[in-house]
């Protein structure tokens, strides 16, 4: 008896739903529930990975119809290479995070019951799996809502804190504004598919078979871009992301940032390349510009943060920007009928989506281990953790190197492919694009440099030096399950970095499905060892050789310094003769970001105050110095504060209708009836 990838994916989904339903039955045995529940989640995730790898590798498409949903509107499932790729990403990270959660959630049990956390965790992953398997608008939107509602309750896990309630409310509002835009987008496409005669156009197959007029296609695309962009966190719809991700439990933050944002990327690719199919080049140019703005402002915002999890959240905006850049490039090349370079850009986009899922999941798990050990998120009070948490520090460092796009880890490969798409693009007929391509490549390079600076700060301030806070807690290394979860993610980052030709050969079916071309033949011209994206004589890279080179240098340096005793001498810290150094005098996050704040501060609302309390003896030696710094996103003041002000003004005006007198309500009813009669007359 053989099982198809869709059967295995359905089994995975069923296991998550069974876990969500059965977890409350074991609420009186929290420890058993946590171990058994997250082990079952890991097994279900493994099934999703197997199904996704099988679907992408075979390049086949499977479909099924479930007798659920509304009368005459059953649910449709589809597993093709695109959905298989995102199924793999969701399943892989869910597997690592589930293993990590066995130890992480055990540490939360003393504070509050964790039954709800396990229930909504299962529903959250099930919702993401359903989103990528859905093949009709109704099932897609229901899955989208399951994912959004479950993640809302996960963000609200510590609901006694005002910041959690505020973040959850903001997330819920923006998620539902985006969902309304998606509903309208699907409504436009479904109506045009059947001429607005019936509901038969709600399936994606009906939309695929239709040809949309340019104006309606533009309406559907921009509504979808707005809806998915709100979920993905592209500028200026990103404001919920740095609020919600830091306050959620860290295992949930890893999934939200690592794979939930990718469901929005999946949605954009599905609607643009699979359902609409034909589009003008300027749609792609707009997506590239949005991606560039998100990448640059996102990484600059990350640099300004002193909260470790907020830094990671802003970095997600940067990486989503890089993915959108590649998608926009693919749209431009597709519209000008350049299939090979379009396949290169699409490969870069999906490769970076997979990479970001791995290294951002790893970094949030590492931040969770730090928070778990110190109960502290502010880097201004952390430091020196490398001594007490050597495993976590090494694994977190691998995540930092990966996200900084440094070889031989995975971030380098996908960003290098994006560079190739910018730099190897042929002459394009639109003058605007002749300007956009070099500017885009330059800003991508700037983004990479700033990302490296941001993660030097994140690692250096958190793990190096000495403890900066007033009272150093007793810090312990993360437990074994947490280390195994982070270790598997780190190993995946390395494998994706040193075996890019194998990965590109595997995901080759995705660009074939969507743009009708591939780069696997040119990418593997010199075998699995060398990656040559378009032509062997233009550019090549070998992750294995880079890894061997780095290991050779490290081993040689170690031998030189350690073979002969006495080569390393330790001495006291140079203190300029002051001799009263304390942990508070170290370089901290604020001082590290100061040069960047001076150069790019005009992009933010910066409030910086220094107050000196004079010393009676001499003004050169103040008794006390108070420093205050607040860096805020200008988008709040430019966009969201006016919207909130207008909303409150309208609410107050409408509130005046609430008179509390029966006569007034009778008048309202009478006027309503008169108006309705005028319309139906």
């Amino acid at each position: 008896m053989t099982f198809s990838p869709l059967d295995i994916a359905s089994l995975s989904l069923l296991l998550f739903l069974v876990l969500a339903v059965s977890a409350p039955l074991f609420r009186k045995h929290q420890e058993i529930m946590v171990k058994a529940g997250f082990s079952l989640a890991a097994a279900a995730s493994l099934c999703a990975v197997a199904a996704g790898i099988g679907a992408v590798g075979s390049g086949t498409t499977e479909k099924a119809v479930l007798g659920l949903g509304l009368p005459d509107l059953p649910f449709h499932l589809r597993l093709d290479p695109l959905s298989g790729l995102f199924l793999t990403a969701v399943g892989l990270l869910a597997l690592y995070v589930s293993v990590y959660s066995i130890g992480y959630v055990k540490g939360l049990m003393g504070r509050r019951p964790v039954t709800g956390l396990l229930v909504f965790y299962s529903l959250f992953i099930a919702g993401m799996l359903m989103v990528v398997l859905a093949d009709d608008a109704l099932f897609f939107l229901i899955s989208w809502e399951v994912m959004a509602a479950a993640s809302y309750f996960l963000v609200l896990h510590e609901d006694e804190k005002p910041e959690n309630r505020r973040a959850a409310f903001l997330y819920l509002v923006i998620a539902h504004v985006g969902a309304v835009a998606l509903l309208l987008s699907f409504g436009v496409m479904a109506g045009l598919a059947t001429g607005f005669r019936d509901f038969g156009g709600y399936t994606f197959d009906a939309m695929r078979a239709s040809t949309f007029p340019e104006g309606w296609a533009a309406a559907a695309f921009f509504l979808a871009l707005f809806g998915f962009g709100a979920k993905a966190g592209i500028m200026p719809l990103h404001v919920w992301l740095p609020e919600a991700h830091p306050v959620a439990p860290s295992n949930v933050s890893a999934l939200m940032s690592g794979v939930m944002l990718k469901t929005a990327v999946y949605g954009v690719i599905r609607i643009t390349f699979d359902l609409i199919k034909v589009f003008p080049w300027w749609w792609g140019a707009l997506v590239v510009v949005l991606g560039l703005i998100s990448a640059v402002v996102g990484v600059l915002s990350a640099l300004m943060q002193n909260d470790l999890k907020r830094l990671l959240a802003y970095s997600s905006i940067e990486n989503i920007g890089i993915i959108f850049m590649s998608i926009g490039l693919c749209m431009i090349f597709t519209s000008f009928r350049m299939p090979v370079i379009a396949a290169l850009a699409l490969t870069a986009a999906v490769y970076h989506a997979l990479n970001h899922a791995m290294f951002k999941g790893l970094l949030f798990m590492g931040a969770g281990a730090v928070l778990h050990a110190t109960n502290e998120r502010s880097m201004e009070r952390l430091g020196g953790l490398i001594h007490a948490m050597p495993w976590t520090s090494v694994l977190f460092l691998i995540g930092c190197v990966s996200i900084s796009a440094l070889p031989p880890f995975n971030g380098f490969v996908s960003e290098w492919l994006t560079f190739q798409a910018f730099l190897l693009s042929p002459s394009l007929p639109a003058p605007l694009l002749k300007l956009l391509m070099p500017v885009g490549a330059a800003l991508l390079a700037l983004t990479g440099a700033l990302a490296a600076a941001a993660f030097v700060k994140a690692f250096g301030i958190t793990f190096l030096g000495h403890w900066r806070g007033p009272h150093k807690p007793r810090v312990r290394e993360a437990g074994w399950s947490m280390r195994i979860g982070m270790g598997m993610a780190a190993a995946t980052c390395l494998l994706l970095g040193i075996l890019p030709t194998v990965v590109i050969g595997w995901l080759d079916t995705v660009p074939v499905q969507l743009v009708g071309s591939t780069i696997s033949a040119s990418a593997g011209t010199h075998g699995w060892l060398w990656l040559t994206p378009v032509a062997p004589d233009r550019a090549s890279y070998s992750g294995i050789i880079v890894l061997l080179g780095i290991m050779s240098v490290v081993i040689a340096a170690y031998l030189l310094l350690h073979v002969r005793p006495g080569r390393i001498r330790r001495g006291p810290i140079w203190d300029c003769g002051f001799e009263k150094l304390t942990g508070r005098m170290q370089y901290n996050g604020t001082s590290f970001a100061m040069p960047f704040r001076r150069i790019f501060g005009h992009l933010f609302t910066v409030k910086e105050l220094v107050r000196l309390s004079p010393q009676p003896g001499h003004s050169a030696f103040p008794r006390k110095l108070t420093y205050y710094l607040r860096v805020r996103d200008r988008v709040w003041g430019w966009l969201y504060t006016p919207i909130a002000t207008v909303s409150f003004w309208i609410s107050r005006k409408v509130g005046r209708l609430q008179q509390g007198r029966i006569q007034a309500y009778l008048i309202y009813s009478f006027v309503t009836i008169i108006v309705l009669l005028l319309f139906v007359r």
Side-chain angles (χ1 to χ4, degrees), residues 51-68:
I53 290 176
V56 177
S58 65
T60 56
T61 298
E62 292 180 80
K63 297 181 184 179
V65 179
L66 300 179
L68 302 173

Side-chain angles (χ1 to χ4, degrees), residues 75-160:
F75 291 158
H76 293 72
L77 301 180
R78 176 188 173 104
L79 182 55
D80 59 11
L82 178 63
S83 51
L85 176 67
F86 283 87
L87 197 69
T88 305
V90 174
L92 263 183
L93 188 58
L95 169 64
Y96 303 156
V97 173
S98 297
V99 173
Y100 171 89
S101 298
I102 294 172
Y104 179 79
V105 176
K106 191 178 172 184
L108 302 179
M109 287 192 309
R111 303 180 209 166
R112 64 184 62 244
V114 294
T115 309
L117 178 62
L118 181 57
V119 169
F120 291 114
Y121 177 89
S122 309
L123 287 175
F124 180 42
I125 298 174
M128 290 190 283
L129 296 180
M130 290 192 296
V131 164
V132 299
L133 290 172
D135 198 33
D136 65 65
L138 177 62
F139 188 38
F140 187 96
L141 289 170
I142 289 175
S143 307
W144 193 260
E145 284 301 305
V146 169
M147 178 179 72
S151 51
Y152 164 77
F153 286 109
L154 290 170
V155 171
L156 205 55
H157 178 64
E158 297 182 37
D159 59 353
E160 73 279 4

Side-chain angles (χ1 to χ4, degrees), residues 315-639:
S315 162
S316 293
I317 298 169
E318 172 227 340
N319 283 277
I320 285 294
I322 294 172
I323 296 169
F324 271 71
M325 273 184 227
S326 300
I327 293 174
L329 287 174
C330 182
M331 293 172 68
I332 292 171
F333 299 136
T334 302
S335 66
F336 287 119
R337 301 184 187 283
M338 300 173 180
V340 175
I341 197 82
L344 171 62
L346 185 60
T347 302
V350 294
Y351 207 140
H352 199 70
L354 183 59
N355 287 342
H356 182 247
M358 296 302 113
F359 56 63
K360 188 49 65 68
L362 169 60
L363 288 167
F364 266 113
M365 286 190 278
V370 170
L371 182 58
H372 192 270
T374 64
N375 201 28
E376 184 59 67
R377 280 184 2 212
S378 172
M379 288 185 284
E380 303 298 71
R381 291 190 284 273
L382 292 172
L385 297 181
I386 193 170
H387 305 291
M389 305 179 73
W391 284 92
T392 302
S393 62
V394 169
L395 296 170
F396 193 87
L397 180 62
I398 290 174
C400 292
V401 174
S402 302
I403 202 170
S404 302
L406 296 175
F409 291 95
N410 56 348
F412 173 80
V413 176
S414 49
E415 290 201 28
W416 186 65
L417 291 175
T418 307
F419 267 116
Q420 297 299 311
F422 270 116
L423 300 176
L424 298 181
S425 61
S427 178
L428 297 168
L432 178 63
L433 296 179
K434 296 181 192 301
L435 173 66
L436 182 61
M437 291 296 166
V439 171
L443 289 177
L444 180 60
L446 175 65
T447 301
L450 292 173
F455 283 92
V456 167
K457 171 182 170 178
F459 182 80
I461 302 297
T462 304
F463 289 98
L464 303 182
H466 295 275
W467 182 261
R468 293 175 176 80
H471 305 292
K472 185 177 181 180
R474 187 178 177 186
V475 179
R476 291 182 179 176
E477 178 59 277
W480 278 107
S481 67
M482 294 169 70
R483 279 184 255 174
I484 291 171
M486 291 187 284
M488 289 192 293
T492 309
C493 289
L494 180 62
L495 290 175
L496 289 170
I498 62 175
L499 299 172
T501 50
V502 176
V503 179
I504 290 173
W506 167 69
L507 58 80
D508 199 30
T509 51
V510 176
V512 169
Q513 175 197 354
L514 299 175
V515 297
S517 186
T518 175
I519 62 165
S520 65
S522 58
T525 302
H526 293 314
W528 64 271
L529 187 60
W530 289 94
L531 172 62
T532 52
V534 174
D537 56 339
R538 298 291 296 272
S540 60
Y541 167 73
S542 173
I544 295 265
I545 291 178
V546 171
L547 176 63
L548 292 175
I550 292 173
M551 288 178 63
S552 302
V553 171
V554 171
I555 291 171
Y558 182 85
L559 292 176
L560 283 172
L561 294 174
H562 289 82
V563 168
R564 293 176 57 188
R567 299 295 294 269
I568 299 178
R569 290 180 298 172
R570 297 182 184 277
I573 298 173
W574 183 56
D575 56 8
C576 303
F578 184 64
E579 295 186 349
K580 292 182 181 178
L581 290 180
T582 68
R584 294 181 61 207
M585 296 177 185
Q586 297 174 91
Y587 215 48
N588 60 14
T590 302
S591 52
F592 186 95
M594 189 272 285
F596 302 98
R597 207 164 51 245
R598 293 286 177 265
I599 299 170
F600 299 103
H602 59 281
L603 296 174
F604 303 90
T605 304
V606 179
K607 186 174 182 181
E608 189 173 19
L609 295 174
V610 179
R611 188 177 298 121
L612 300 176
S613 301
Q615 176 78 312
H618 195 286
S619 60
F621 300 98
R623 185 173 55 191
K624 184 179 177 185
L625 185 148
T626 305
Y627 179 75
Y628 173 81
L629 174 69
R630 189 181 72 176
V631 182
R632 289 201 69 188
D633 199 331
R634 281 193 186 274
V635 173
W636 274 108
W638 287 348
L639 184 61

Side-chain angles (χ1 to χ4, degrees), residues 203-253:
T203 66
F204 288 173
D205 275 342
M207 298 178 196
R208 280 187 196 96
S210 302
T211 303
F212 304 112
E214 188 174 338
W216 285 111
F221 171 76
F222 285 108
L223 283 167
L225 183 63
F226 180 86
F228 289 124
K231 178 67 79 178
I234 61 170
M235 294 277 178
L237 305 170
H238 65 287
V239 291
W240 67 270
L241 201 149
E243 303 295 327
H245 287 198
V247 300
S250 295
N251 57 340
V252 176
S253 304

